[in-house]
Amino acid sequence: MDFSISPTYNNAKLEPPDQVSTVNECRRLDTESRTMTTKQTLNAGWRISVDPHNQGLTEKWQFGIRADSMPAPVPGIVQQVFPRHEGVSWFWLSFFPEHLPGAGERAILKFAGADYFADVWLNGSWATRHEGADSPFEVDVTERVLAGDNLLAVRIVKPGSERIDGVVLDEIPHRNQKTIAHLTPGSSFNSAGIVAPVEYAVVPSLRIADIFACPDSSTGQIGMSVTVANDLGHEAVSRITVELTSEAAVEVGAHQVVDLGEVVLAAGLSTVEAVVIVANPRLWNLDDPYLYHVSARVGDSLMAVRCGFRDFRVVDGYFHLNGKRIFLRSSHTGNHYPIGQVTPVDPDHARRDLIMAKAAGFNCIRWIAGAALPEQLDFCDELGLMVYEETLASWCFDAGPAVRERYERSFDAVIRRDRNHPCVTIWGLINEMRDGEVFRCAVDYLPKLRQLDPTRLVLLGSGRWDHDFTVGSVSNPGSGEWEAQWGADHAGVPLCDPACPAELQGGYAQQAGDAHYYPAFPNSPESIEKLRTMGSGTRPVFLSEAGIGSLMNVIDDSRGFDRFDVPADLFDREYISNMAERFLADWTSFGMEDVYAFPVDLFRESYARHSEQRRLLFDMVRANPKFCGYNLTGLLDHAMTGEGLWSFWRRWKNGIVETLEDGWSPLRWCLFVTPPHGYAGSSIEVEAVLANEEVLRPGRYSASFRVWSASTGTVWERVVEFDVAKPGDLAFPVLKEQIELDLPSGEYLFAADLAHGGAPTGDRLAFQVSSSQERTASIGKLFMWGVNEAVCEWLGERGYTCLPYMGALTERENAVIVVGPVRQDDTAGWLSLRHDVELGARALFLSPESFKTNRANGPDPVPAHPWGGGITARGLWDWLYHRECVGKRHRVFDGLQTGGILDWRYWGEVVGHMWFDSPDGEIETMAAGFATGYCCAGGYDSGALIGRQRIGKGSALYNAFPVLDFYGKHPVADRLLRNLIAEASAETPVS
């Protein structure tokens, strides 16, 4: 065992910290109890009062517990007791210390976390003010603690939009938290409180305060930076020893004890550094998360931490763990919990996320804009699950006079707290931040970060919304530079280069190497092509956010609170329950009772549809060989959305386990059929790409492909011979062919089979074929208003007689007037149409654009439409958060998939992004859309998609589906257009 004064990691000098983290960076060993004379948990018995007028300091609330106080959860948040409070709150605890400090001892209060400002008093004597929700802190109360009853008072300040103590919420690190007035799903609630455990400890005045263990897998060295606290008030000389042990007691050389001899320790903090050498270190990796224990002793004080040898970096644009390339399989979590928001009331939730992620094939979890709980990192160390960690300053923080100071304080604290954990492999500095003060803080922070931790990969900006690709996205372990490893990153590329436009398309910054992509769903051919070719012509790309969610199951999720003794107005309970109540009212109003056995079945089917869409996303991602990793959005239904793989209460969504097992498989077929729903006899393209993470050895392989259905058997087959020249390509094409198949209508499978070498997943893809045979329509004249000539010609070819609508029909009874996108300012035309309908005509509105308003959801009045009746149309953007379109079993859907959620695979883009609002009871609805957990006020929205309104002797049939955009291109649009015309005429739809 060797020792030196200045240990290094890959030639980067390790600097001692300038302040001491008060909660050790790793879980201590059982021997930690010998570090202190006694420690006493102070998590029970707290009381709380809110201080909405910030008068507690003036009225000296620190001197006594208020009579109106309530029991308070610690760890917990204020809002568990006062659901709608924002601002100042006070906590009190009356406790009896089990031990008082004696000679050579100090009494310490330890707070593992308080959000956000915390003033602490003991027995009326002010002890400290701390700032920062992510950071632990401690205070010496030796001169304040009493025998018998002691009163601990804590004033917590978490501002909202009103300035308190000089700041508002936007001026402090807060993730994406919002005040109650501005909260929507997808953002976090502005919670506050004592959010982590509290301890009272009696410790030696001369003690180990911190250990940073810095293993280097290339040398077998563990650099140890041991911080000693000397509170004796004078210089001291004491013997220091360090010890190394391992998980396996029989490992040769894994148990070493070394005496450093007598060391002179100045008053205050001193740092002693050493290097321990392990001859043949056993590496920490995903399948064998092997841990070492290092400890240090001074006098009666002993501290131990766990660490591990591993190296994680980006090489030539691809991730490597311990020298082996891996595909990063990640997802992010907001660490959001029912009731406690940031603190799990059910402790199993904090573990369950990680168990489920590991079981589902993930190798990394990203804590987005907020640190993990220390116990979660302990578990990841043991489970073999890598961690990509950010802080509350990483997102939506770019305001106020102290931005840089607060940004650095937030990161300093988290890095010091968590830097011993081998599972922590990535520090992420910002998320979706445009060029500004915080982005420049992140760029400039790298040298200071390297003083605190030279051992980890650092990623600059998730999404790279800054667009300044002159700054690289990556800094590898041991490097003090931002490196050009991904996308268009390159020193010398000018800011706002025309090749890298600043606009975002679905969240994607053009040519970004750290990319987000959230296109509209269902996918268009253009969005599929973009995802499949991202990174083409540049370096590899890390797809750090992309995904598709489901509806949030607000019925089951609201009922999940029933097993807890919590108030009805608890914020998340009330919010989710309100969504459920609005949904159930609309479900009845739209007449959807017979679509499912119970309304909750809508959400269960949404879960299953979401799993199918995830599978198609895996096809696109895994078929792109330029993707070095994929951080899937998102792990769970955090932030009261439906974006997760499992629910708010940690229940798997239907089918998602199989989807993840299939999607993450190291050897996987990525199959494509274009179009996924076409006409029999028309040309379709079948394509097969094999994703291969070094599973197939170099050699020649044979694959068979078939188009098959249960009713027809095999209708097409190919055998393809292909070569794998080298195992390094993450994906390579095997088949791409245009075929024509004159088939009966129905669902078919494109199936692949690899003869030898491995068993790929993803080997079946369903697609739809519809018959192009159409019977001549039996309807008479159609009067067309605002419908272009091409549509009239298309209908004419199918037996319809299309005449221009000129207004004031002479024969109105049962006349069908087909209306396209007509300008609302054509008042005369609208009034004439209304008059004809009232006298018996039937209007069919093919385009919701005629009723479109200029608002989505808001309080502003809608201008009166000349049609009258209060009917309006509006859009809802379907992306990560989206609606589900539900069709009844109605003749307007004859020959089409319906009777529940309209399947995107079948309907494609014909589901559109529009719907109708109407006065209650005005429309007989055939199809409606529902969105729960959507990023709008209240989190819920709905609207009619097809509905009939009785007007005088006639009627109006409203259609929100974009049939005029896709007729002649998509079988659904063609059939639906003909069905709508038949429905408007009240005849049975044609076959």
Side-chain angles (χ1 to χ4, degrees):
M1 185 175 293
D2 298 328
F3 299 94
S4 65
I5 298 300
S6 300
T8 62
Y9 185 89
N10 288 353
N11 300 316
K13 189 172 185 295
L14 176 64
E15 298 292 341
D18 55 12
Q19 71 182 53
V20 178
S21 174
T22 57
V23 175
N24 189 45
E25 292 83 349
C26 266
R27 187 184 68 181
R28 269 77 160 188
L29 304 179
D30 292 340
T31 50
E32 183 200 11
S33 60
R34 299 168 59 188
T35 304
M36 49 193 70
T37 305
T38 181
K39 63 177 180 179
Q40 183 177 345
T41 300
L42 301 181
N43 291 339
W46 287 84
R47 308 286 296 184
I48 184 176
S49 288
V50 294
D51 187 3
H53 304 295
N54 197 13
Q55 60 196 33
L57 286 174
T58 302
E59 297 178 358
K60 303 186 183 305
W61 290 10
Q62 65 269 31
F63 288 102
I65 302 174
R66 288 180 58 83
D68 63 358
S69 66
M70 301 288 289
V74 172
I77 58 172
V78 175
Q79 288 73 24
Q80 289 174 249
V81 185
F82 299 98
R84 294 191 168 270
H85 176 71
E86 294 177 277
V88 183
S89 51
W90 288 74
F91 290 76
W92 297 273
L93 177 67
S94 175
F95 75 99
F96 289 79
E98 296 174 356
H99 294 275
L100 294 175
E105 294 179 328
R106 308 299 294 177
I108 304 292
L109 285 173
K110 296 188 172 191
F111 292 81
D115 188 5
Y116 178 75
F117 296 97
D119 287 287
V120 180
W121 290 263
L122 185 62
N123 298 320
S125 176
W126 181 80
T128 192
R129 162 166 264 221
H130 177 77
E131 175 181 352
D134 275 341
S135 54
F137 65 99
E138 68 179 31
V139 57
D140 190 321
V141 293
T142 304
E143 311 306 326
R144 299 177 178 87
V145 68
L146 303 173
D149 194 5
N150 284 257
L151 179 63
L152 176 58
V154 183
R155 175 179 178 259
I156 295 292
V157 177
K158 183 68 175 298
S161 56
E162 299 295 325
R163 201 166 287 277
I164 303 175
D165 289 6
V167 297
V168 293
L169 178 62
D170 287 346
E171 295 176 354
I172 61 175
H174 64 283
R175 183 184 266 148
N176 62 344
Q177 291 179 341
K178 293 184 179 179
T179 60
I180 292 173
H182 299 97
L183 182 71
T184 60
S187 55
S188 305
F189 175 58
N190 183 24
S191 60
I194 302 175
V195 296
V198 182
E199 284 185 355
Y200 166 79
V202 176
V203 301
S205 297
L206 190 65
R207 62 191 180 278
I208 305 296
D210 184 53
I211 299 174
F212 176 28
C214 188
D216 185 341
S217 59
S218 64
T219 64
Q221 296 181 351
I222 302 178
M224 296 175 60
S225 182
V226 180
T227 302
V228 180
N230 177 4
D231 290 333
L232 294 170
H234 55 78
E235 183 181 275
V237 177
S238 184
R239 182 176 300 279
I240 297 179
T241 59
V242 295
E243 184 175 2
L244 169 71
T245 59
S246 72
E247 298 281 272
V250 297
E251 185 181 349
V252 177
H255 184 203
Q256 304 177 41
V257 179
V258 172
D259 186 346
L260 301 183
E262 300 289 333
V263 179
V264 177
L265 302 168
L269 299 178
S270 300
T271 301
V272 177
E273 298 183 343
V275 174
V276 181
I277 299 177
V278 179
N280 293 297
R282 185 167 166 182
L283 301 183
W284 184 96
N285 60 47
L286 303 172
D287 300 319
D288 181 24
Y290 193 78
L291 298 171
Y292 288 85
H293 306 259
V294 292
S295 61
R297 180 192 298 275
V298 59
D300 294 328
S301 174
L302 172 69
M303 178 180 288
V305 298
R306 302 190 303 184
C307 60
F309 287 95
R310 55 102 186 87
D311 181 76
F312 186 70
R313 62 182 60 242
V314 174
V315 180
D316 296 329
Y318 294 94
F319 292 103
H320 286 69
L321 176 62
N322 299 330
K324 178 180 174 59
R325 188 186 67 183
I326 67 167
F327 187 84
L328 195 69
R329 302 181 179 92
S330 182
S331 183
H332 57 254
T333 176
N335 235 22
H336 182 197
Y337 305 102
I339 302 171
Q341 304 287 310
V342 295
T343 60
V345 171
D346 182 344
D348 180 58
H349 287 165
R351 298 185 298 269
R352 183 172 293 271
D353 284 340
L354 308 176
I355 295 170
M356 294 168 79
K358 181 74 175 184
F362 290 93
N363 56 30
C364 182
I365 299 298
R366 176 186 173 195
W367 267 265
I368 186 170
L373 301 176
E375 56 267 30
Q376 289 177 312
L377 297 182
D378 290 336
F379 196 37
C380 288
D381 284 341
E382 299 162 357
L383 201 59
L385 191 59
M386 293 188 292
V387 170
Y388 169 2
E389 194 168 31
E390 300 170 9
T391 81
L392 295 173
S394 297
W395 196 14
C396 304
F397 172 54
D398 200 1
V403 166
R404 187 170 292 263
E405 175 187 348
R406 288 189 167 121
Y407 178 88
E408 293 188 356
R409 178 190 293 116
S410 180
F411 271 94
D412 287 357
V414 170
I415 291 170
R416 286 192 176 101
R417 192 196 73 170
D418 297 340
R419 60 187 174 177
N420 279 331
H421 287 280
C423 67
V424 178
T425 52
I426 301 174
W427 300 122
L429 298 191
I430 53 175
N431 175 67
E432 292 184 343
M433 296 286 283
R434 297 182 184 271
D435 194 0
E437 182 65 22
V438 165
F439 172 68
R440 296 300 155 184
C441 286
V443 173
D444 297 342
Y445 182 64
L446 184 60
K448 186 172 184 181
L449 185 153
R450 285 306 183 207
Q451 289 182 337
L452 298 172
D453 178 16
T455 71
R456 285 176 175 84
L457 179 67
V458 183
L459 302 186
L460 174 57
S462 188
R464 288 309 303 265
W465 285 13
D466 57 273
H467 293 92
D468 185 359
F469 300 147
T470 62
V471 183
S473 298
V474 170
S475 178
N476 270 308
S479 169
E481 305 293 332
W482 291 113
E483 305 167 34
Q485 291 273 1
W486 291 337
D489 292 355
H490 195 278
V493 175
L495 186 62
C496 297
D497 184 87
C500 307
E503 60 267 15
L504 298 170
Q505 299 178 3
Y508 174 56
Q510 296 296 318
Q511 295 191 325
D514 191 327
H516 294 180
Y517 192 44
Y518 293 110
F521 282 90
N523 286 120
S524 66
E526 293 76 19
S527 65
I528 294 172
E529 180 69 10
K530 180 179 284 291
L531 196 57
R532 290 197 56 191
T533 60
M534 199 174 288
S536 177
T538 67
R539 298 177 182 83
V541 171
F542 175 34
L543 188 63
S544 57
E545 283 192 32
I548 177 68
S550 68
L551 296 185
M552 185 181 193
N553 187 341
V554 292
I555 293 178
D556 282 348
D557 286 346
S558 63
R559 292 169 179 167
F561 291 93
D562 293 346
R563 66 188 180 96
F564 294 91
D565 184 18
V566 294
D569 64 346
L570 183 77
F571 184 79
D572 50 358
R573 182 181 196 177
E574 182 180 59
Y575 200 98
I576 296 170
S577 295
N578 284 343
M579 285 194 276
E581 290 168 6
R582 293 171 64 191
F583 162 73
L584 289 170
D586 283 347
W587 190 256
T588 300
S589 176
F590 286 130
M592 294 287 176
E593 293 91 339
D594 292 334
V595 174
Y596 297 106
F598 291 98
V600 72
D601 292 342
L602 168 66
F603 302 109
R604 295 172 185 174
E605 186 178 1
S606 179
Y607 282 1
R609 298 292 184 194
H610 139 271
S611 297
E612 294 168 359
Q613 290 299 313
R614 295 271 191 193
R615 190 259 192 219
L616 299 178
L617 270 174
F618 272 122
D619 283 335
M620 301 173 217
V621 172
R622 296 295 305 279
N624 187 341
K626 298 305 288 286
F627 284 140
C628 62
Y630 174 29
N631 182 82
L632 177 154
T633 308
L635 197 66
L636 71 146
D637 282 354
H638 44 212
M640 291 175 292
T641 69
E643 78 172 53
L645 303 169
W646 45 86
S647 76
F648 190 49
W649 292 97
R650 277 62 179 179
R651 293 178 179 173
W652 290 108
K653 293 186 178 179
N654 302 18
I656 197 62
V657 174
E658 294 81 0
T659 295
L660 293 170
E661 182 182 35
D662 171 285
W664 290 135
S665 174
L667 187 63
R668 185 184 190 277
W669 285 112
C670 305
L671 304 181
F672 303 90
V673 175
T674 308
H677 185 179
Y679 277 123
S682 61
S683 177
I684 63 173
E685 181 181 84
V686 291
E687 182 180 3
V689 177
L690 193 57
N692 174 38
E693 294 180 48
E694 302 184 12
V695 175
L696 294 184
R697 299 174 181 176
R700 190 163 184 80
Y701 295 88
S702 175
S704 299
F705 301 93
R706 292 176 179 173
V707 172
W708 179 94
S709 78
S711 60
T712 62
T714 300
V715 297
W716 175 89
E717 185 172 12
R718 286 286 184 276
V719 177
V720 177
E721 301 286 331
F722 63 97
D723 293 316
V724 176
K726 57 180 181 178
D729 293 335
L730 285 174
F732 50 88
V734 176
L735 171 75
K736 188 172 186 180
E737 185 172 334
Q738 293 283 337
I739 62 176
E740 287 189 14
L741 299 173
D742 194 5
L743 302 171
S745 296
E747 185 175 84
Y748 291 81
L749 285 179
F750 176 40
D753 182 70
L754 186 66
H756 69 280
T761 62
D763 53 4
R764 302 291 185 271
L765 177 66
F767 67 98
Q768 189 74 29
V769 171
S770 289
S771 173
S772 60
Q773 299 299 316
E774 298 174 349
R775 189 176 303 170
T776 302
S778 59
I779 193 169
K781 301 174 184 178
L782 299 176
F783 294 93
M784 316 298 283
W785 185 34
V787 180
N788 66 45
E789 187 61 30
V791 178
C792 295
E793 291 179 3
W794 187 88
L795 289 171
E797 293 169 356
R798 285 151 183 81
Y800 299 90
T801 300
C802 300
L803 301 173
Y805 173 69
M806 308 301 291
L809 293 175
T810 56
E811 297 181 4
R812 299 182 178 92
E813 188 71 24
N814 296 329
V816 177
I817 305 168
V818 181
V819 184
V822 177
R823 291 172 57 91
Q824 295 181 22
D825 58 6
D826 187 353
T827 304
W830 283 105
L831 293 177
S832 177
L833 177 66
R834 181 84 183 192
H835 181 67
D836 283 341
V837 170
E838 288 175 344
L839 294 179
R842 287 125 185 243
L844 168 59
F845 295 102
L846 288 182
S847 174
E849 296 293 330
S850 298
F851 295 90
K852 189 174 181 179
T853 65
N854 292 322
R855 66 175 180 89
N857 267 338
D860 298 334
V862 179
H865 195 288
W867 173 250
I871 305 296
T872 60
R874 56 191 173 84
L876 182 128
W877 189 245
D878 297 296
W879 57 300
L880 168 65
Y881 312 120
H882 59 88
R883 63 185 175 171
E884 296 287 13
C885 300
V886 182
K888 295 181 180 178
R889 296 169 186 86
H890 189 279
R891 64 185 182 180
V892 77
F893 294 116
D894 185 47
L896 298 170
Q897 178 269 329
T898 188
I901 291 175
L902 303 183
D903 187 349
W904 287 356
R905 298 176 304 169
Y906 181 97
W907 281 71
E909 294 180 273
V910 183
V911 297
H913 303 286
M914 297 284 289
W915 51 20
F916 290 98
D917 291 324
S918 67
D920 289 344
E922 285 289 321
I923 292 183
E924 172 200 352
T925 305
M926 294 89 165
F930 303 89
T932 56
Y934 191 81
C935 43
C936 63
Y940 171 77
D941 207 349
S942 68
L945 298 170
I946 299 180
R948 177 186 284 110
Q949 183 183 31
R950 301 295 178 181
I951 301 173
K953 293 181 179 179
S955 65
L957 185 63
Y958 301 94
N959 163 63
F961 295 105
V963 292
L964 294 181
D965 294 333
F966 293 99
Y967 80 95
K969 305 172 186 175
H970 198 290
V972 168
D974 294 348
R975 183 58 189 251
L976 183 59
L977 176 55
R978 295 166 60 237
N979 285 359
L980 287 166
I981 293 171
E983 182 63 28
S985 68
E987 293 184 11
T988 302
V990 294
S991 300

